[in-house]
Amino acid sequence: MNQAPKIGLVSLGCPKALVDSERIMTTLRAQGYSFSRDYAGADIVLVNTCGFLDSAKQESLEAIGEALNENGRVIVTGCLGVEEGLIRETHPSVLAITGPHQYESVVSAVHDHLPPVPNRFVDLVPESGLKLTPRHYAYLKISEGCNNRCSFCIIPQIRGDLVSRPAAGILGEAEGLIRSGVKELLVISQDTSAYGVDIKYAESKYRGRDVKAKFYDLAKELGQLGAWTRLHYVYPYPHVDQVIELMAEGLVLPYLDIPFQHASPNVLKSMRRPANQEKTLDRIKKWRDICPDLAIRSNFIVGYPGETDADFEFLLDWLEEAEIDRAGCFKYEPVTGAPANELDGIVPDEVKEERFAQLMEVAQDVSFHRLSQKVGRTIDVIVDDVRPEENRVIARSKWDAPEIDGQVIVSKADGIKIGDIVSVTVTDNDEYDLFAEPVEK
Ligand code: SF4
C-alpha cells in the first residue's frame, strides 16, 4: 500500500519567509504529502533559507549542511536561493535550488524528486491541479483522515481516522495565505462536515476569542477574513443547513461540493456512504429555498458492483431532479485493498462505458439549463488567466471551483490581470461555460 511521502521542513528567516513556508506546506499537504518532525523520518528535506545578512547566509548554509548530513536529500528555497553559485559551491549535492516566493518551482522540484502518489479515487486535489496553485487561490486542509468506511475507499487505511486541526491554527494559516495574496480559500478534507468531531469541537484562542472546531463556526470565521471561501467534500448531514445560511448572507461562496457518488438507496447502502438519507432531494430543495444561488458540484461512480439498470435509471432521474449544477463521473475501478473488491455483480466494461456516456449527457443538459439561467446577470468573477492576443480573460464565477468546474470567458478585457475580481455581465452560455463582458464603469 502506498504511504504518503514525507517531507521535513526547516524554515529560517523573517515572517514573510514563514508565510512562504506555510504556503508551500499547504500546497503539498493538499496534494497528499505529509510532514516529518525529524530528519530521519523524512524522505526529503526542504530548507527555506534567509539571505538578508551575511550572518543569516551563514546560518542558512549551516542549516543546509546539517540537513544533508542528517538526511542527504535536500531541496533549497527562499532568499538565499538567488545565490545558487554560493550554495552549489558549498553543498554540491543539494537536489534543487529555487528562490524566494517561488512556490510553484519548489512544489515542482518536490514532485521531481519525490513524486506524489496520485489516485483519483482518493485525492482531494484534482490531478490536473497537482502542477501548481496560482497565487490567488490556495487549498486549506482542515483535517486529515476519515471516520467513514466507504467500501470502495482505502483512505482510512492509509491516513487513519479523522484528525481535525484546531480552529485557531487553520484561521492563522488562512490569514497568512490572504496576506500573501490569496483571494480564494478552498477548504478541503476527507469529510469537511465532520470537522471537529474527533476533538469534541474543542475551542482554541483566535484573536482573543474562543473558536470551536465546528464546521459552522469555522466556515463563519473563514468567511469573515475577506477572501472567497469555498467548501469542498461536504456530506449532507443535518447541520449543513446552517452553513447554507452563511452562503445566503454572502459570507461563504454559494457552492457545495458533495461527493454523492450515487443516488440509488441499494447502491448507497452497499457503498456504505455517510449521511445516506432518503430525503436528500428534499434537503437540496430546502437549501435552494434558503440560498437560491447555490451551485452543487458532485461526483458519481457508475458500474459499481451490483449496480442494476434500475439503480442506474434511478440515478439519472435523481440527477435531473436534484439539478446538480456540476457533475463528474468515474467508471468504477477496484482499488487494491478496498472491501468493495469482494462484492458480486461485477458490471462489464462496455456497460460501464455506456452508463458513463449516458450520465455525462444528462449532466450536460442539466448544466446547460442551469447556466442559461445566469445569462443577463451581473456577477463577480476571479481571473485565472489572461489572453491579451484575444483581448479575453479566463475567469471563474462563485459557482466554479478551479480545475474541476467551468469557466467564465470574459471579452473586451483590457487591463484585467490574473487574480483580479471583476464585475461582469453574462451574455451567453454553453454546456459548461459562461461568456461575459466587464460591466461599464
Ligand atoms: S468519506 Fe468515504 S470515500 Fe470519503 S474518505 Fe471517507 S471512507 Fe473514503
Side-chain angles (χ1 to χ4, degrees), residues 122-332:
V122 300
D123 276 348
L124 293 171
V125 182
E127 246 172 275
S128 52
L130 275 182
K131 24 184 198 347
L132 46 94
T133 309
R135 278 151 210 264
H136 58 282
Y137 65 81
Y139 295 97
L140 186 63
K141 193 163 190 181
I142 62 168
S143 62
E144 183 57 274
C146 183
N147 284 349
N148 302 308
R149 295 293 181 263
C150 301
S151 58
F152 54 84
C153 177
I154 51 166
I155 286 277
Q157 296 169 43
I158 302 178
R159 303 199 182 144
D161 283 341
L162 180 76
V163 180
S164 301
R165 299 174 59 198
I170 298 169
L171 290 164
E173 181 174 328
E175 264 192 300
L177 289 167
I178 293 168
R179 268 202 309 274
S180 73
V182 165
K183 294 189 178 162
E184 179 178 358
L185 298 167
L186 304 146
V187 174
I188 55 169
S189 71
Q190 309 296 340
D191 182 355
T192 296
S193 27
Y195 170 65
V197 171
D198 56 309
I199 49 174
K200 304 200 169 44
Y201 310 119
E203 292 179 337
S204 50
K205 276 257 183 282
Y206 168 70
R207 295 186 165 249
R209 287 177 290 114
D210 289 319
V211 182
K212 276 194 188 148
K214 220 171 175 181
F215 180 39
Y216 173 82
D217 301 61
L218 182 70
K220 187 170 179 182
E221 292 285 347
L222 286 171
Q224 287 168 352
L225 295 179
W228 284 13
T229 301
R230 191 180 294 285
L231 303 173
H232 288 277
Y233 311 106
V234 174
Y235 288 102
Y237 301 111
H239 65 278
V240 172
D241 295 10
Q242 264 189 309
V243 174
I244 307 290
E245 284 167 23
L246 296 177
M247 296 181 183
E249 289 167 30
L251 271 185
V252 173
L253 293 183
Y255 177 96
L256 267 188
D257 176 2
I258 309 182
F260 285 112
Q261 308 300 14
H262 215 282
S264 159
N266 298 333
V267 180
L268 287 172
K269 193 159 168 240
S270 169
M271 285 179 166
R272 298 194 235 137
R273 295 294 287 161
N276 162 21
Q277 295 180 352
E278 289 183 7
K279 303 226 167 2
T280 307
L281 277 178
D282 294 342
R283 302 279 312 286
I284 292 177
K285 193 170 167 306
K286 184 175 162 200
W287 292 344
R288 289 206 166 115
D289 287 343
I290 302 171
C291 179
D293 244 0
L294 176 68
I296 302 177
R297 114 94 36 199
S298 190
N299 189 68
F300 298 93
I301 296 175
V302 293
Y304 182 79
E307 183 195 55
T308 62
D309 286 343
D311 292 322
F312 180 65
E313 288 303 324
F314 187 101
L315 170 59
L316 290 186
D317 291 346
W318 187 92
L319 191 67
E320 264 180 323
E321 209 173 329
E323 295 197 84
I324 299 300
D325 300 73
R326 306 290 193 180
C329 184
F330 291 141
K331 286 164 268 183
Y332 175 77

